[in-house]
Amino acid sequence: MNASKWIALGTAATLTLAPLGGAGARSGAADPHLVAREVVSLNAAGSASEVRGVKVFRGEEGTRIVLSLDGKLGAYERIELKNPTRLAVDLLGVSRAPKAQAVSAPGVSSVRFGVHADRVRVVFDLEGPKLPPYRISPVAEGLEVVFPSTEAKLAEAAPASAPTPARNEPKADNRSRVLDVAFQGEGAEQRVDVVLSGSVRHEVERPDTRTRVLTLRGAELPQKLVRSLDTTAFAGPVRSVASFMDRDDGAVRVVVTLREDAQDDLEVRGNRLSWRFKGEPVEATIVDEAGRVTRAAADTGTRRYTGTRVSFEFKDIDIHNLLRILAEVSKKNLVVADDVKGTVTIRLRNVPWDQALDLILRSKGLGKEEEGNIIRIAPLERLQAEREAAAKAQEAKEIAQPLFVRIIPVNYALASEIAPKVQDLLTKRGSLTVDQRTNTIIVKDVADAISRAQALVRTLDTQTPQVLISSRIVETSTNFSRELGIQWGGSFSASQATGNATGLGFPNSIGGSGSVPGNVGAGGAVPAQPNWAVSFPAGVGESSGGAVGFTFGSAGGAAQLNLRLSALESRGLLKTVSAPKVTTLDNREAVIGQGVSIPFSQVSAAGVNTVFVEAKLELRVTPHVTSDGSILMKIRASNNQPSENIRGANGQPAITKREAETEVLVKDGDTTVIGGIYTRRTSESVGQIPLLGDIPVLGWFFKSRSVSDERTELLIFISPTIVNREAALVAGG
């Protein structure tokens, strides 16, 4: 760990911690004053053995306290305490220190020393109610502890999104933001998840075997995530997780302190960094007087232990004394049998007290019985004998009880279906019969067994929910067509009859006319036989479209021009709404349908065979009512109708199929759309005289145009409703 960084406490930093007690025969009850603790290795030889003095310096950075040592410090342990607020630093390997020294500095009132066999504890008494940010780092003289001034605190607490221009840091808008630093996992495998708002450059450093540092370049850390999490309560390789913003290079660092060397692997998933740690879980070791060793990993097995975590180390301690210590820690009342004897050698580190008790009892062949706040401890053989005696006494009591006969009516279910379940609740003397006619169960047994049977029948004999399924099948179709047509033609004659002969011997007379036959109907302006030269009419007729005709001719009848314009436009809208409804029981299929059966004739060597094909509207639903009042439905809806446009070889209509099959979950009374089919068919056709129809503008005199647009849409709506919801709920309760 880089010890030169600021350490700031967050609101979520305090978890259940191991006790502050050291080795020896000291109880491991958790210290209520302890906030956090961490051992920091400085990778030095550790030659320091004496604290020679304390020097205090004051400046813009804050109060700097230097502990002068006679050599290099190998490691130290920082301990944060509350009520009152104190910071303790254990100088590991140092054995001598001066007397306490008063400090005249803002926030720090005194520096005290405590000498132990393997360390010197330096205690900084602080004035405020909360532990301020601080920094611990090695220097040439020894070790320094810096408490920042008010200006330095404000600068430290300022958001990373507002850096000073002198550092030329990127703007907050260009930096990815750390959204969360979360710890997860118990036992041997744990992980730290870092969630970011965008991608950043990252690297992992391993300064020593027990420290891992994740550096995030170009990231921003909110003030609420500047914290240190103590994770020793989760009995895994990770002891603490600290996250902070390094003001020197503007990087975010996540420092993980390990209990011992462990494997770590960083995996990147999008904007999430998943940092996994794998090691050995915390173990408990117990040795009894016979030399048997019991080891167990903390928080293993099917049972989950929730007691206060303790640490013990005793040699040949009397088991009665050890149980008294556990009773004091657990605040439980313990009753120990007289034949519980012996001594135990035990070494526990960070183990829940209830797990420690189970391990101790298992190593001594003991068992326990819990009744409220009282725990009774006795040998397993004795407890087993007591249970067997109690079972025999209960059996003898049942044999001595009189037998009763009770008729249990079944209202909604079948008695034959409930009877096997009731049979399992009867005693060996009990019997059960079913009367099919009255749908009742006849039970003969002791009073307690009959009461159990009645309670089970009341629970199972509930009203089966009935579901009303309402559906609406909506089918709409629209069509649009437009036709524009033109017809023109005429005749020309040059002869003596018309007074415009050619004056030649041959040809003396010339005549020409359109050769496309046609008529315009009676009363039209155009002759009944106009002899069209260009004929592209629209499909007009009675109550359909319109046409206009023109006739142009010369006075002598030598030339004649006939013109006819026709146009047709049609629109149509068809909407079909089918609303089938059906009611059914829970988990029972319901079918409702309406339609026709169309006969189809099949000719074979055996003769003519008639087969009926159904064309109908059908709804098949199987509902299931869930415990929260929702309805799970298997639905098959079909709307198959005979086609009016498509016919078979014998004139039978084709079948137009529209089907939907699905499973949906719908709340009671809600509506869901299970299917929608939308089709659109457009067409455009042009008829013209080759080449002439391609002439711009004039080409319209030599062609016609027809446009059509057809649209169809099918929607299926399903609305389930529990008909007897209230009655079913009352019966089930």
Side-chain angles (χ1 to χ4, degrees), residues 2 20 51 55 76 120 153 155 322 360 507:
N2 191 343
L20 192 59
V51 180
K55 299 180 181 179
Y76 68 88
V120 169
K153 292 180 184 177
L322 183 57
I360 294 170

Side-chain angles (χ1 to χ4, degrees), residues 233-244:
F234 296 93
V238 179
R239 293 189 57 182
S240 65
V241 180
S243 55
F244 57 91

Side-chain angles (χ1 to χ4, degrees), residues 637-690:
S638 60
N639 186 16
N640 301 333
Q641 301 295 335
S643 175
E644 298 180 357
N645 301 323
I646 304 175
R647 297 282 176 173
N650 298 329
Q652 297 95 337
I655 305 299
T656 303
K657 289 190 174 183
R658 297 178 179 88
E659 298 179 347
E661 184 173 359
T662 185
E663 292 187 19
V664 293
L665 181 65
V666 186
K667 288 288 187 180
D668 180 23
D670 288 355
T671 300
T672 182
V673 181
I674 67 168
I677 302 175
Y678 176 80
T679 61
R680 181 178 183 181
R681 180 167 53 190
T682 61
S683 66
E684 179 178 353
S685 62
V686 177
Q688 67 177 28
I689 302 296

Side-chain angles (χ1 to χ4, degrees), residues 348-397:
L348 298 177
R349 286 292 180 269
N350 196 30
V351 177
W353 73 263
D354 46 353
Q355 185 182 16
L357 177 60
D358 285 350
L359 294 173
I360 294 170
L361 298 182
R362 194 185 312 161
S363 66
K364 301 293 292 182
L366 303 175
K368 66 178 181 179
E369 291 181 345
E370 293 190 43
E371 296 181 5
N373 197 35
I374 301 175
I375 301 178
R376 176 173 172 261
I377 298 175
L380 288 174
E381 296 82 0
R382 182 172 178 179
L383 295 176
Q384 183 64 26
E386 291 177 356
R387 295 190 187 98
E388 293 176 355
K392 291 180 180 179
Q394 181 64 25
E395 185 177 355
K397 181 180 178 182

Side-chain angles (χ1 to χ4, degrees), residues 39-165:
V39 177
V40 180
S41 176
L42 301 178
N43 295 325
S47 59
S49 62
E50 180 182 0
V51 180
R52 293 181 173 178
V54 179
K55 299 180 181 179
V56 181
F57 302 92
R58 301 174 185 84
E60 296 181 356
E61 185 180 11
T63 301
R64 186 165 64 96
I65 302 175
V66 179
L67 304 175
S68 299
L69 305 175
D70 61 348
K72 292 184 177 181
L73 183 65
Y76 68 88
E77 182 176 8
R78 65 175 184 88
I79 305 172
E80 301 170 357
L81 302 168
K82 62 181 180 179
N83 298 326
T85 304
R86 290 158 293 162
L87 171 64
V89 179
D90 286 358
L91 308 178
L92 305 182
V94 181
S95 58
R96 296 186 298 275
K99 296 182 179 180
Q101 178 175 337
V103 178
S104 177
V108 182
S109 59
S110 65
V111 179
R112 297 181 287 114
F113 297 93
V115 180
H116 300 275
D118 59 343
R119 68 187 66 194
V120 169
R121 174 165 296 178
V122 185
V123 180
F124 298 89
D125 295 316
L126 306 175
E127 297 176 351
K130 295 183 179 179
L131 187 65
Y134 61 91
R135 184 183 68 198
I136 304 176
S137 58
V139 294
E141 299 180 55
L143 193 71
E144 73 170 5
V145 181
V146 180
F147 296 94
S149 62
T150 304
E151 292 77 9
K153 292 180 184 177
L154 294 176
E156 181 69 21
S161 59
T164 58

Side-chain angles (χ1 to χ4, degrees), residues 308-620:
T308 304
R309 293 182 175 268
V310 296
S311 294
F312 292 146
E313 186 171 356
F314 297 110
K315 178 176 176 58
D316 295 334
I317 184 174
D318 184 77
I319 191 171
H320 288 271
N321 295 332
L322 183 57
L323 292 176
R324 279 198 292 269
I325 295 175
L326 287 175
E328 184 67 25
V329 172
S330 62
K331 308 302 180 183
K332 296 278 187 178
N333 299 312
L334 261 66
V335 178
V336 184
D338 296 337
D339 47 357
V340 175
K341 300 177 181 179
T343 60
V344 176
T345 298
I346 182 172
R347 182 178 182 274
L348 298 177
R349 286 292 180 269
N350 196 30
V351 177
W353 73 263
D354 46 353
Q355 185 182 16
L357 177 60
D358 285 350
L359 294 173
I360 294 170
L361 298 182
R362 194 185 312 161
S363 66
K364 301 293 292 182
L366 303 175
K368 66 178 181 179
E369 291 181 345
E370 293 190 43
E371 296 181 5
N373 197 35
I374 301 175
I375 301 178
R376 176 173 172 261
I377 298 175
L380 288 174
E381 296 82 0
R382 182 172 178 179
L383 295 176
Q384 183 64 26
E386 291 177 356
R387 295 190 187 98
E388 293 176 355
K392 291 180 180 179
Q394 181 64 25
E395 185 177 355
K397 181 180 178 182
E398 292 179 353
I399 294 175
Q401 290 181 355
L403 299 179
F404 298 91
V405 177
R406 187 66 52 85
I407 299 176
I408 305 176
V410 181
N411 298 318
Y412 305 105
L414 294 178
S416 57
E417 295 179 354
I418 298 181
K421 302 177 179 64
V422 178
Q423 182 69 51
D424 296 337
L425 301 180
L426 302 183
T427 64
K428 296 179 180 180
R429 301 170 61 198
S431 62
L432 178 148
T433 57
V434 176
D435 183 47
Q436 300 286 356
R437 186 182 67 85
T438 59
N439 199 39
T440 57
I441 299 176
I442 304 172
V443 179
K444 181 180 180 182
D445 208 334
V446 298
D448 292 342
I450 291 177
S451 299
R452 293 194 298 267
Q454 286 180 314
L456 179 61
V457 171
R458 283 196 302 268
T459 303
L460 299 180
D461 185 26
T462 60
Q463 252 192 52
T464 303
Q466 294 188 86
V467 182
L468 171 64
I469 301 166
S470 304
S471 65
R472 293 176 66 86
I473 302 176
V474 181
E475 182 179 3
T476 60
S477 63
T478 61
N479 59 77
F480 168 80
S481 65
R482 175 184 293 164
E483 297 182 34
L484 297 175
I486 185 170
Q487 294 171 287
W488 61 269
S491 62
F492 172 77
S493 176
S495 66
Q496 293 180 356
T498 58
N500 58 346
T502 63
L504 301 176
F506 181 86
N508 183 263
S509 63
I510 300 175
S513 66
S515 59
V516 179
N519 59 75
V520 296
V526 181
Q529 299 295 331
N531 294 326
W532 304 115
V534 175
S535 181
F536 295 107
V540 297
E542 183 92 14
S543 301
S544 177
V548 124
F550 301 92
T551 300
F552 306 94
S554 62
Q560 184 174 346
L561 175 65
N562 304 319
L563 176 64
R564 183 175 184 237
L565 301 176
S566 57
L568 171 65
E569 180 174 317
S570 64
R571 299 174 184 267
L573 173 63
L574 175 64
K575 182 176 182 181
T576 303
V577 179
S578 303
K581 295 183 180 181
V582 64
T583 303
T584 183
L585 293 176
D586 187 23
N587 295 320
R588 300 293 176 89
E589 185 183 41
V591 181
I592 187 172
Q594 179 185 6
V596 296
S597 295
I598 302 175
F600 284 79
S601 298
Q602 296 179 347
V603 180
S604 62
V608 179
N609 184 28
T610 301
V611 178
F612 290 89
V613 177
E614 293 184 343
K616 65 179 182 179
L617 168 68
E618 185 180 66
L619 178 65
R620 290 178 175 267

Side-chain angles (χ1 to χ4, degrees), residues 160-366:
S161 59
T164 58
R167 295 191 179 184
N168 296 323
E169 295 181 352
K171 295 182 179 180
D173 294 340
N174 299 327
R175 299 166 67 92
S176 297
R177 186 176 180 86
V178 179
L179 303 179
D180 192 17
V181 179
F183 172 83
Q184 297 184 19
E186 295 186 15
E189 295 188 7
Q190 297 174 331
R191 78 171 191 263
V192 177
D193 290 334
V194 180
V195 183
L196 303 163
S197 62
S199 60
V200 297
R201 293 186 295 110
H202 62 275
E203 59 186 28
V204 177
E205 301 176 5
R206 299 171 178 83
D208 55 68
T209 58
R210 299 175 58 186
T211 305
R212 304 290 186 269
V213 181
L214 172 62
T215 302
L216 305 175
R217 305 288 182 184
E220 178 186 8
L221 184 69
Q223 186 64 27
K224 66 178 181 180
L225 295 181
V226 178
R227 62 191 181 188
S228 177
L229 303 178
D230 192 318
T231 60
T232 55
F234 296 93
V238 179
R239 293 189 57 182
S240 65
V241 180
S243 55
F244 57 91
M245 191 82 179
D246 191 340
R247 296 297 174 182
D248 295 335
D249 57 4
V252 174
R253 286 185 170 84
V254 180
V255 180
V256 175
T257 303
L258 304 176
R259 181 170 56 87
E260 57 187 18
D261 192 12
Q263 298 178 0
D264 65 288
D265 179 45
L266 184 64
E267 182 180 0
V268 181
R269 297 180 179 178
N271 294 335
R272 177 185 293 269
L273 303 181
S274 184
W275 202 3
R276 300 180 183 275
F277 299 87
K278 186 175 182 180
E280 297 295 331
V282 179
E283 287 190 346
T285 304
I286 301 176
V287 183
D288 61 10
E289 66 272 15
R292 294 189 297 267
V293 179
T294 302
R295 299 179 185 272
D299 293 330
T300 59
T302 56
R303 177 178 173 183
R304 183 176 180 85
Y305 296 97
T306 59
T308 304
R309 293 182 175 268
V310 296
S311 294
F312 292 146
E313 186 171 356
F314 297 110
K315 178 176 176 58
D316 295 334
I317 184 174
D318 184 77
I319 191 171
H320 288 271
N321 295 332
L322 183 57
L323 292 176
R324 279 198 292 269
I325 295 175
L326 287 175
E328 184 67 25
V329 172
S330 62
K331 308 302 180 183
K332 296 278 187 178
N333 299 312
L334 261 66
V335 178
V336 184
D338 296 337
D339 47 357
V340 175
K341 300 177 181 179
T343 60
V344 176
T345 298
I346 182 172
R347 182 178 182 274
L348 298 177
R349 286 292 180 269
N350 196 30
V351 177
W353 73 263
D354 46 353
Q355 185 182 16
L357 177 60
D358 285 350
L359 294 173
I360 294 170
L361 298 182
R362 194 185 312 161
S363 66
K364 301 293 292 182
L366 303 175

